[in-house]
Amino acid sequence: KGVKVAIGAELEVEGPKGKLKVPVPAGIHARQAGGILELDRDGDKYAALHGLTRALAANAVQGVSTGFVRELDIVGIGYRADVKGRIATFTLGYSHPIELLLPDGVDLKIDKQTHLVLSGADRQALGQVAANMRGLRPPDPYKNKGVRYTGEPLRKKVGKTGATAK
């Protein structure tokens, strides 16, 4: 509801959260019937592209109507993040703060400096920004420190133990 789809060389999906474009490859045809977007393919050799286009179109429709959310947690003493306008600043134990420019269409809210909430309409861009933030200091399996997705299972490893003399 409230989503407009213009069908052409590419699908233009417009809704309350924004506007996205989805490429439609050759061999795939889109049509709209009674509020339902249908995709057809010319033959079985287009099966993979059919599924890909369908998934991208579904993500675009969901993105412009409800949007996507990705949450990250920063764990570690002295590790924190701040946001001013479109620039996120991270203090992650390096000798310098790290600044990251947020692309258009991706918003960042920070709760108590260690819980980040990314939101936006474009699922691919949102996931890429979240992965870039996680990559600044990936979770350390020995010390439990770093930037991780909320709810991400962490494989804790046991450190080295000294060899005993016999």
Side-chain angles (χ1 to χ4, degrees), residues 27-41:
I28 307 294
H29 309 287
R31 69 175 188 275
Q32 200 168 3
I36 296 172
L37 182 64
E38 293 181 352
L39 297 168
D40 297 324
R41 63 179 182 238

mmCIF file with all atom_site columns, all heavy atoms in Angstrom, residues 27-41:
data_model
loop_
_atom_site.group_PDB
_atom_site.id
_atom_site.type_symbol
_atom_site.label_atom_id
_atom_site.label_alt_id
_atom_site.label_comp_id
_atom_site.label_asym_id
_atom_site.label_entity_id
_atom_site.label_seq_id
_atom_site.pdbx_PDB_ins_code
_atom_site.Cartn_x
_atom_site.Cartn_y
_atom_site.Cartn_z
_atom_site.occupancy
_atom_site.B_iso_or_equiv
_atom_site.pdbx_formal_charge
_atom_site.auth_seq_id
_atom_site.auth_comp_id
_atom_site.auth_asym_id
_atom_site.auth_atom_id
_atom_site.pdbx_PDB_model_num
ATOM 1   N N   . GLY A 1 27 ? 15.198 -10.740 -21.018 1.00 0.00 ? 27 GLY A N   1
ATOM 2   C CA  . GLY A 1 27 ? 14.643 -12.071 -20.786 1.00 0.00 ? 27 GLY A CA  1
ATOM 3   C C   . GLY A 1 27 ? 13.665 -12.105 -19.619 1.00 0.00 ? 27 GLY A C   1
ATOM 4   O O   . GLY A 1 27 ? 12.974 -13.097 -19.411 1.00 0.00 ? 27 GLY A O   1
ATOM 5   N N   . ILE A 1 28 ? 13.597 -11.030 -18.846 1.00 0.00 ? 28 ILE A N   1
ATOM 6   C CA  . ILE A 1 28 ? 12.670 -10.931 -17.722 1.00 0.00 ? 28 ILE A CA  1
ATOM 7   C C   . ILE A 1 28 ? 11.684 -9.807  -18.031 1.00 0.00 ? 28 ILE A C   1
ATOM 8   O O   . ILE A 1 28 ? 12.084 -8.726  -18.476 1.00 0.00 ? 28 ILE A O   1
ATOM 9   C CB  . ILE A 1 28 ? 13.421 -10.614 -16.401 1.00 0.00 ? 28 ILE A CB  1
ATOM 10  C CG1 . ILE A 1 28 ? 14.553 -11.606 -16.148 1.00 0.00 ? 28 ILE A CG1 1
ATOM 11  C CG2 . ILE A 1 28 ? 12.463 -10.571 -15.222 1.00 0.00 ? 28 ILE A CG2 1
ATOM 12  C CD1 . ILE A 1 28 ? 14.116 -13.019 -15.886 1.00 0.00 ? 28 ILE A CD1 1
ATOM 13  N N   . HIS A 1 29 ? 10.399 -10.068 -17.814 1.00 0.00 ? 29 HIS A N   1
ATOM 14  C CA  . HIS A 1 29 ? 9.364  -9.078  -18.103 1.00 0.00 ? 29 HIS A CA  1
ATOM 15  C C   . HIS A 1 29 ? 8.540  -8.837  -16.845 1.00 0.00 ? 29 HIS A C   1
ATOM 16  O O   . HIS A 1 29 ? 8.153  -9.782  -16.163 1.00 0.00 ? 29 HIS A O   1
ATOM 17  C CB  . HIS A 1 29 ? 8.452  -9.558  -19.235 1.00 0.00 ? 29 HIS A CB  1
ATOM 18  C CG  . HIS A 1 29 ? 9.213  -10.007 -20.442 1.00 0.00 ? 29 HIS A CG  1
ATOM 19  N ND1 . HIS A 1 29 ? 9.849  -9.128  -21.296 1.00 0.00 ? 29 HIS A ND1 1
ATOM 20  C CD2 . HIS A 1 29 ? 9.476  -11.246 -20.923 1.00 0.00 ? 29 HIS A CD2 1
ATOM 21  C CE1 . HIS A 1 29 ? 10.452 -9.812  -22.252 1.00 0.00 ? 29 HIS A CE1 1
ATOM 22  N NE2 . HIS A 1 29 ? 10.251 -11.111 -22.048 1.00 0.00 ? 29 HIS A NE2 1
ATOM 23  N N   . ALA A 1 30 ? 8.288  -7.558  -16.559 1.00 0.00 ? 30 ALA A N   1
ATOM 24  C CA  . ALA A 1 30 ? 7.508  -7.198  -15.375 1.00 0.00 ? 30 ALA A CA  1
ATOM 25  C C   . ALA A 1 30 ? 6.154  -6.659  -15.807 1.00 0.00 ? 30 ALA A C   1
ATOM 26  O O   . ALA A 1 30 ? 6.038  -5.979  -16.835 1.00 0.00 ? 30 ALA A O   1
ATOM 27  C CB  . ALA A 1 30 ? 8.250  -6.152  -14.560 1.00 0.00 ? 30 ALA A CB  1
ATOM 28  N N   . ARG A 1 31 ? 5.130  -6.981  -15.007 1.00 0.00 ? 31 ARG A N   1
ATOM 29  C CA  . ARG A 1 31 ? 3.811  -6.391  -15.227 1.00 0.00 ? 31 ARG A CA  1
ATOM 30  C C   . ARG A 1 31 ? 3.111  -6.274  -13.882 1.00 0.00 ? 31 ARG A C   1
ATOM 31  O O   . ARG A 1 31 ? 3.387  -7.042  -12.953 1.00 0.00 ? 31 ARG A O   1
ATOM 32  C CB  . ARG A 1 31 ? 2.991  -7.194  -16.225 1.00 0.00 ? 31 ARG A CB  1
ATOM 33  C CG  . ARG A 1 31 ? 2.542  -8.553  -15.759 1.00 0.00 ? 31 ARG A CG  1
ATOM 34  C CD  . ARG A 1 31 ? 1.620  -9.184  -16.810 1.00 0.00 ? 31 ARG A CD  1
ATOM 35  N NE  . ARG A 1 31 ? 1.042  -10.400 -16.298 1.00 0.00 ? 31 ARG A NE  1
ATOM 36  C CZ  . ARG A 1 31 ? 1.611  -11.597 -16.347 1.00 0.00 ? 31 ARG A CZ  1
ATOM 37  N NH1 . ARG A 1 31 ? 2.795  -11.736 -16.903 1.00 0.00 ? 31 ARG A NH1 1
ATOM 38  N NH2 . ARG A 1 31 ? 1.008  -12.650 -15.849 1.00 0.00 ? 31 ARG A NH2 1
ATOM 39  N N   . GLN A 1 32 ? 2.212  -5.305  -13.808 1.00 0.00 ? 32 GLN A N   1
ATOM 40  C CA  . GLN A 1 32 ? 1.496  -5.058  -12.572 1.00 0.00 ? 32 GLN A CA  1
ATOM 41  C C   . GLN A 1 32 ? 0.036  -5.429  -12.778 1.00 0.00 ? 32 GLN A C   1
ATOM 42  O O   . GLN A 1 32 ? -0.606 -4.988  -13.728 1.00 0.00 ? 32 GLN A O   1
ATOM 43  C CB  . GLN A 1 32 ? 1.636  -3.581  -12.184 1.00 0.00 ? 32 GLN A CB  1
ATOM 44  C CG  . GLN A 1 32 ? 1.368  -3.314  -10.738 1.00 0.00 ? 32 GLN A CG  1
ATOM 45  C CD  . GLN A 1 32 ? 1.794  -1.911  -10.334 1.00 0.00 ? 32 GLN A CD  1
ATOM 46  O OE1 . GLN A 1 32 ? 2.244  -1.135  -11.148 1.00 0.00 ? 32 GLN A OE1 1
ATOM 47  N NE2 . GLN A 1 32 ? 1.638  -1.598  -9.070  1.00 0.00 ? 32 GLN A NE2 1
ATOM 48  N N   . ALA A 1 33 ? -0.475 -6.264  -11.871 1.00 0.00 ? 33 ALA A N   1
ATOM 49  C CA  . ALA A 1 33 ? -1.866 -6.708  -11.983 1.00 0.00 ? 33 ALA A CA  1
ATOM 50  C C   . ALA A 1 33 ? -2.532 -6.589  -10.617 1.00 0.00 ? 33 ALA A C   1
ATOM 51  O O   . ALA A 1 33 ? -2.241 -7.372  -9.721  1.00 0.00 ? 33 ALA A O   1
ATOM 52  C CB  . ALA A 1 33 ? -1.926 -8.143  -12.483 1.00 0.00 ? 33 ALA A CB  1
ATOM 53  N N   . GLY A 1 34 ? -3.405 -5.612  -10.472 1.00 0.00 ? 34 GLY A N   1
ATOM 54  C CA  . GLY A 1 34 ? -4.187 -5.482  -9.240  1.00 0.00 ? 34 GLY A CA  1
ATOM 55  C C   . GLY A 1 34 ? -3.359 -5.346  -7.979  1.00 0.00 ? 34 GLY A C   1
ATOM 56  O O   . GLY A 1 34 ? -3.599 -6.051  -7.010  1.00 0.00 ? 34 GLY A O   1
ATOM 57  N N   . GLY A 1 35 ? -2.372 -4.461  -7.979  1.00 0.00 ? 35 GLY A N   1
ATOM 58  C CA  . GLY A 1 35 ? -1.565 -4.254  -6.783  1.00 0.00 ? 35 GLY A CA  1
ATOM 59  C C   . GLY A 1 35 ? -0.501 -5.309  -6.563  1.00 0.00 ? 35 GLY A C   1
ATOM 60  O O   . GLY A 1 35 ? 0.154  -5.325  -5.528  1.00 0.00 ? 35 GLY A O   1
ATOM 61  N N   . ILE A 1 36 ? -0.332 -6.213  -7.529  1.00 0.00 ? 36 ILE A N   1
ATOM 62  C CA  . ILE A 1 36 ? 0.691  -7.266  -7.417  1.00 0.00 ? 36 ILE A CA  1
ATOM 63  C C   . ILE A 1 36 ? 1.656  -7.109  -8.585  1.00 0.00 ? 36 ILE A C   1
ATOM 64  O O   . ILE A 1 36 ? 1.237  -6.998  -9.741  1.00 0.00 ? 36 ILE A O   1
ATOM 65  C CB  . ILE A 1 36 ? 0.049  -8.673  -7.443  1.00 0.00 ? 36 ILE A CB  1
ATOM 66  C CG1 . ILE A 1 36 ? -0.849 -8.848  -6.222  1.00 0.00 ? 36 ILE A CG1 1
ATOM 67  C CG2 . ILE A 1 36 ? 1.116  -9.748  -7.479  1.00 0.00 ? 36 ILE A CG2 1
ATOM 68  C CD1 . ILE A 1 36 ? -1.669 -10.113 -6.236  1.00 0.00 ? 36 ILE A CD1 1
ATOM 69  N N   . LEU A 1 37 ? 2.952  -7.096  -8.270  1.00 0.00 ? 37 LEU A N   1
ATOM 70  C CA  . LEU A 1 37 ? 3.982  -7.011  -9.297  1.00 0.00 ? 37 LEU A CA  1
ATOM 71  C C   . LEU A 1 37 ? 4.379  -8.427  -9.682  1.00 0.00 ? 37 LEU A C   1
ATOM 72  O O   . LEU A 1 37 ? 4.783  -9.217  -8.830  1.00 0.00 ? 37 LEU A O   1
ATOM 73  C CB  . LEU A 1 37 ? 5.189  -6.231  -8.758  1.00 0.00 ? 37 LEU A CB  1
ATOM 74  C CG  . LEU A 1 37 ? 6.341  -6.000  -9.718  1.00 0.00 ? 37 LEU A CG  1
ATOM 75  C CD1 . LEU A 1 37 ? 5.904  -5.121  -10.877 1.00 0.00 ? 37 LEU A CD1 1
ATOM 76  C CD2 . LEU A 1 37 ? 7.511  -5.363  -8.995  1.00 0.00 ? 37 LEU A CD2 1
ATOM 77  N N   . GLU A 1 38 ? 4.227  -8.756  -10.963 1.00 0.00 ? 38 GLU A N   1
ATOM 78  C CA  . GLU A 1 38 ? 4.560  -10.107 -11.437 1.00 0.00 ? 38 GLU A CA  1
ATOM 79  C C   . GLU A 1 38 ? 5.743  -10.039 -12.383 1.00 0.00 ? 38 GLU A C   1
ATOM 80  O O   . GLU A 1 38 ? 5.827  -9.153  -13.227 1.00 0.00 ? 38 GLU A O   1
ATOM 81  C CB  . GLU A 1 38 ? 3.349  -10.729 -12.153 1.00 0.00 ? 38 GLU A CB  1
ATOM 82  C CG  . GLU A 1 38 ? 2.184  -11.011 -11.233 1.00 0.00 ? 38 GLU A CG  1
ATOM 83  C CD  . GLU A 1 38 ? 1.007  -11.647 -11.960 1.00 0.00 ? 38 GLU A CD  1
ATOM 84  O OE1 . GLU A 1 38 ? 1.047  -11.735 -13.203 1.00 0.00 ? 38 GLU A OE1 1
ATOM 85  O OE2 . GLU A 1 38 ? 0.067  -12.043 -11.277 1.00 0.00 ? 38 GLU A OE2 1
ATOM 86  N N   . LEU A 1 39 ? 6.633  -11.014 -12.261 1.00 0.00 ? 39 LEU A N   1
ATOM 87  C CA  . LEU A 1 39 ? 7.797  -11.120 -13.128 1.00 0.00 ? 39 LEU A CA  1
ATOM 88  C C   . LEU A 1 39 ? 7.736  -12.441 -13.885 1.00 0.00 ? 39 LEU A C   1
ATOM 89  O O   . LEU A 1 39 ? 7.487  -13.489 -13.293 1.00 0.00 ? 39 LEU A O   1
ATOM 90  C CB  . LEU A 1 39 ? 9.091  -11.058 -12.303 1.00 0.00 ? 39 LEU A CB  1
ATOM 91  C CG  . LEU A 1 39 ? 9.335  -9.751  -11.550 1.00 0.00 ? 39 LEU A CG  1
ATOM 92  C CD1 . LEU A 1 39 ? 10.468 -9.910  -10.555 1.00 0.00 ? 39 LEU A CD1 1
ATOM 93  C CD2 . LEU A 1 39 ? 9.657  -8.641  -12.516 1.00 0.00 ? 39 LEU A CD2 1
ATOM 94  N N   . ASP A 1 40 ? 7.938  -12.388 -15.203 1.00 0.00 ? 40 ASP A N   1
ATOM 95  C CA  . ASP A 1 40 ? 7.946  -13.585 -16.048 1.00 0.00 ? 40 ASP A CA  1
ATOM 96  C C   . ASP A 1 40 ? 9.294  -13.690 -16.729 1.00 0.00 ? 40 ASP A C   1
ATOM 97  O O   . ASP A 1 40 ? 9.980  -12.692 -16.933 1.00 0.00 ? 40 ASP A O   1
ATOM 98  C CB  . ASP A 1 40 ? 6.850  -13.501 -17.122 1.00 0.00 ? 40 ASP A CB  1
ATOM 99  C CG  . ASP A 1 40 ? 5.461  -13.453 -16.526 1.00 0.00 ? 40 ASP A CG  1
ATOM 100 O OD1 . ASP A 1 40 ? 5.244  -14.120 -15.496 1.00 0.00 ? 40 ASP A OD1 1
ATOM 101 O OD2 . ASP A 1 40 ? 4.604  -12.748 -17.086 1.00 0.00 ? 40 ASP A OD2 1
ATOM 102 N N   . ARG A 1 41 ? 9.656  -14.930 -17.109 1.00 0.00 ? 41 ARG A N   1
ATOM 103 C CA  . ARG A 1 41 ? 10.907 -15.134 -17.830 1.00 0.00 ? 41 ARG A CA  1
ATOM 104 C C   . ARG A 1 41 ? 10.616 -15.810 -19.169 1.00 0.00 ? 41 ARG A C   1
ATOM 105 O O   . ARG A 1 41 ? 9.606  -16.491 -19.330 1.00 0.00 ? 41 ARG A O   1
ATOM 106 C CB  . ARG A 1 41 ? 11.887 -15.939 -16.993 1.00 0.00 ? 41 ARG A CB  1
ATOM 107 C CG  . ARG A 1 41 ? 11.431 -17.343 -16.662 1.00 0.00 ? 41 ARG A CG  1
ATOM 108 C CD  . ARG A 1 41 ? 12.512 -18.058 -15.849 1.00 0.00 ? 41 ARG A CD  1
ATOM 109 N NE  . ARG A 1 41 ? 12.120 -19.430 -15.568 1.00 0.00 ? 41 ARG A NE  1
ATOM 110 C CZ  . ARG A 1 41 ? 12.009 -19.939 -14.355 1.00 0.00 ? 41 ARG A CZ  1
ATOM 111 N NH1 . ARG A 1 41 ? 12.247 -19.194 -13.297 1.00 0.00 ? 41 ARG A NH1 1
ATOM 112 N NH2 . ARG A 1 41 ? 11.671 -21.195 -14.171 1.00 0.00 ? 41 ARG A NH2 1
#
